[in-house]
Every structure is written in C-alpha cells, then in structure tokens.
Amino acid sequence: PQRRRSNTFSSSSAASKAPQAASTGVGIIMLGAGAEVGQRQRPRSAYRRGASCIPLSATASHDADAAAASSSASSSASSSASASTGAPPSPTTRAAAMSNDMSDRLSLDNIRASLIRQEDSIIFGLIERAQYRLNTPTYQPGGVEVPCFAPEGTRASMLEYMLREFEQTGGKIRRYTSPDEHAFYPASLPPLVIQPMKYPDPLAPAAVSININDRIMAMYIDNLLPGLCQAGDDFNYGSAGLSDVNCLQTISKRIHYGKFVAEAKFRAQPEEYTALIKAQDAAGLMKLLTNKAVEDRVVRRVTNKAATYGQDISEDLHQGVAASLGAKGGIEYKVAPKTVGQLYYQWIMPMTKDVQVEYLLRRLDHIT
C-alpha cells in the first residue's frame, strides 16, 4: 500500500538538514504536519527535494520493475481465466493488450517529416521565451530559493528545479522509455505508474547511453538566451522558466534525433560506414555524413519559418500576402529570423552531427 506524503515544504528546514543528508548518504523526506510519525526513510539520488517530488534510487526502480513483471503475469493469468469462463477481460488485461506503440512515428521513413515538425515546435518555443527578459537569477544556483539541494547542501538553480520536477512527472508516465526522449537528469527518474509500452526501436543498443543534454544546457544558457532575450530582469521567473523547459526539451529531442538520422544513413551506405566504424575514424564519419547543401536548405527554411511565425498576421490579408511580408522591411519580429537560423547553423546541426558520429562509432558494438 502506498504511504501518503504531505506536500508541505520548509526551505529553511531543508537547508539546515542538507549537510546531514550529504554525510549520511540517506535522503530525508520532508514531512508536513499530517505525515505519519516514524515513516520509513528511503535512499535518494544526488539531489533532494520537498515531499512532493522525491527521486527514487536504483533499488526502488528495480522493485518497480519487479512489480510490473508481477502485474504482467497476473494479467496473463486473468486473461486465461476470462477466456475459459467467457467473462469479459478485466481493465488490467485490456491495458496489457494496449502496451504496444502502434504508430509509425519512430519509423526511419518518417525522419524528415518528424524533423520538420520539430522545427515548428522549436520556433514557437523561442517566440514564447523571447517575450520575457533574460532573468539571470533563474539560472544561478541559489538565485531563487527553490527546494532543491546538492548533496553538499548548496541550493540548485530554479531552472534545474523546474526541469527535475517536469521529469518526475514525465518519467512516471513512460515519457523517457521512448527512444526519442532524453532526460536531463536520468539518474533521478522515478518508476512508472502506468504499464510500460513496447516501442519499435530501429536503433542499435548503444543508442541508449548517448546523451549530450549537459552540452545542450550550457549552450542554451550561455549562448542562445543572451542573443534571444532582452537583458535585464522582469521577475517573471515562473513564466520564463516554463518556456525554458519547453525549449530545452524540444531542442534536446531535435539534436538526439541524430541517432535516427545516422541509422538511416548507415543503412543506405552500409559498406562505407562499416569500414569507417571498424577503423574508428570519427573524422571520416563526419565527412561522409555531412551534406552542406541540405544543411543550407534547413537554415533557409527555419529562417523563413521564423519570419512568418514571428510576425502579427491580420485576418484580413488575402492568400499570398502573408508569405510576402517576410521580404519587406520595417516588420517587427517577435524573434529575429536570423537568430533562429544562426541557432540551427551554429549549434543544433553541429550537435546533431556529433550525436550521429558518437552513435555510428558504436553502431557495431553489439556485433563485434
């Protein structure tokens, strides 16, 4: 049976107990007034939060996997019993029957369409973030008092806290079990609260361990935001942080989609790529997978999209006029189109190719 936890959190209490947690290695669950006295403490991951968001240890995840396996076995038994008695299947049995991803969104044939959709998500996300000022305290550890602490007791940034909270929710409903999703804090993901789903995965096993979200985070804070937002502070930390989380997640998905791109390229030219992989020739792989003409078209496309999406379009404009507005001067854009084009040219495409090379270098690990 699950134990109830209060959502009450005391920042001062957390700060005073943080060093104790670091020294003992045992996480402390912050309990509210209604919490049960003597409630068992549980191991925790590197960062501590309030009672409403508790990262789970590898042991807890293992226990959850075992429980899921037990549930699956029980569902199978229930299904057999229903078949023999003629009774309708239980809700658990029906859930088990729907645990396969029946879409074709992860098909290699759909890579281009997926990448184009992701462009739209990124551009709209940047437009949303650009309406707020830079709000530097959001990214500084301790800049905003949030209930998230490192093992030594230092307070994390508000952005890290928000990302971790979002990943706690997404992790419970199997977001990060999909091969096209990558958590920024994978060690803190909780066990699932719904049944696992089996996804079609065309990638080699080594793909699971490739995650460059630390580089993406640094690029976003140090390079992208200063060029996107006005300097200063408007104190809309929560709204700006929500936009940041959305931008980081969409950009991360786009960059890590390089694994799927690399797999498609490998299958198109297996002999050429296999020779370079066996030689562990990273430079050769980078040269082979680079197509400058395609990259230039991508930059032009996202720049034109930003010019179109980033202006106010009147409902009175007839067909064709809106598309021509981007070529005229004097338009005030919500996000400068060149900023989006530069983001792709300088950061997204190079990082995507880095992911491709890293994946290809390990593409044959499970064979050799």
Side-chain angles (χ1 to χ4, degrees):
Q2 294 182 347
R3 296 186 299 274
R4 299 181 60 185
R5 296 194 299 268
S6 168
N7 289 334
T8 304
F9 181 87
S10 171
S11 297
S12 59
S13 173
S16 64
K17 295 180 180 179
Q20 177 184 352
S23 61
T24 62
V26 177
I28 299 175
I29 299 177
M30 298 302 172
L31 302 176
E36 183 176 340
V37 177
Q39 189 172 15
R40 183 174 63 88
Q41 295 178 342
R42 70 196 306 172
R44 302 279 293 281
S45 64
Y47 277 75
R48 302 191 302 109
R49 296 172 179 76
S52 62
C53 48
I54 302 177
L56 302 176
S57 67
T59 302
S61 299
H62 175 76
D63 293 343
D65 293 339
S70 175
S71 174
S72 177
S74 299
S75 299
S76 299
S78 174
S79 177
S80 299
S82 298
S84 61
T85 61
S90 67
T92 304
T93 304
R94 286 197 295 269
M98 294 186 292
S99 60
N100 288 327
D101 181 2
M102 305 304 292
S103 72
D104 60 354
R105 65 186 182 85
L106 297 178
S107 168
L108 295 180
D109 294 334
N110 292 333
I111 288 177
R112 185 175 185 275
S114 179
L115 293 177
I116 291 176
R117 286 196 302 271
Q118 291 173 45
E119 292 171 2
D120 298 342
S121 299
I122 291 173
I123 292 170
F124 283 118
L126 294 176
I127 290 173
E128 286 298 306
R129 179 59 184 89
Q131 66 182 306
Y132 306 107
R133 291 186 178 271
L134 187 57
N135 292 331
T136 302
T138 308
Y139 316 103
Q140 296 173 336
V144 180
E145 291 189 359
V146 292
C148 186
F149 299 88
E152 67 275 10
T154 58
R155 195 184 299 270
S157 70
M158 180 173 177
L159 176 60
E160 178 177 345
Y161 169 69
M162 294 181 72
L163 256 178
R164 287 179 176 274
E165 290 296 288
F166 269 85
E167 291 185 353
Q168 286 294 299
T169 301
K172 293 174 183 176
I173 55 175
R174 68 190 177 206
R175 174 174 186 170
Y176 300 105
T177 63
S178 178
D180 63 336
E181 295 284 356
H182 297 75
F184 280 79
Y185 306 102
S188 297
L189 292 178
L192 299 178
V193 298
I194 60 176
Q195 195 165 40
M197 175 177 284
K198 182 179 180 181
Y199 295 94
D201 189 357
L203 303 178
V208 177
S209 62
I210 299 174
N211 187 327
I212 65 167
N213 275 336
D214 54 344
R215 290 178 54 193
I216 294 173
M217 175 73 80
M219 175 274 292
Y220 182 79
I221 295 176
D222 299 336
N223 303 107
L224 176 60
L225 284 176
L228 178 70
C229 304
Q230 294 184 28
D233 197 325
D234 58 18
F235 303 103
N236 285 291
Y237 298 155
S239 298
L242 288 172
S243 296
D244 288 327
V245 169
N246 178 56
C247 287
L248 283 167
Q249 290 176 334
T250 53
I251 291 173
S252 171
K253 184 172 184 176
R254 170 59 177 82
I255 289 174
H256 286 103
Y257 225 79
K259 302 176 191 180
F260 292 87
V261 177
E263 180 65 25
K265 291 179 179 179
F266 175 86
R267 295 188 185 188
Q269 298 175 271
E271 293 82 8
E272 294 91 330
Y273 279 104
T274 297
L276 293 170
I277 292 170
K278 289 183 176 180
Q280 290 293 284
D281 185 354
L285 288 170
M286 180 65 77
K287 182 178 180 180
L288 181 58
L289 62 83
T290 299
N291 188 325
K292 187 66 166 58
V294 171
E295 293 178 3
D296 290 341
R297 288 201 299 271
V298 170
V299 172
R300 289 197 302 271
R301 184 172 65 241
V302 297
T303 302
N304 290 337
K305 283 184 177 182
T308 303
Y309 303 159
Q311 58 181 292
D312 292 323
I313 305 298
S314 170
E315 67 277 7
D316 298 325
L317 293 178
H318 59 77
Q319 186 176 7
V321 173
S324 66
L325 286 177
K328 297 180 180 180
I331 299 176
E332 184 177 349
Y333 295 107
K334 299 170 185 175
V335 173
K338 289 184 177 180
T339 298
V340 179
Q342 188 70 10
L343 167 66
Y344 264 76
Y345 176 77
Q346 189 172 356
W347 300 107
I348 289 184
M349 289 193 297
M351 285 187 172
T352 302
K353 291 196 293 184
D354 287 345
V355 168
Q356 292 182 51
V357 170
E358 187 172 352
Y359 172 79
L360 289 169
L361 287 172
R362 303 181 57 187
R363 173 59 178 76
L364 304 177
D365 284 1
H366 64 292
I367 298 175
T368 57

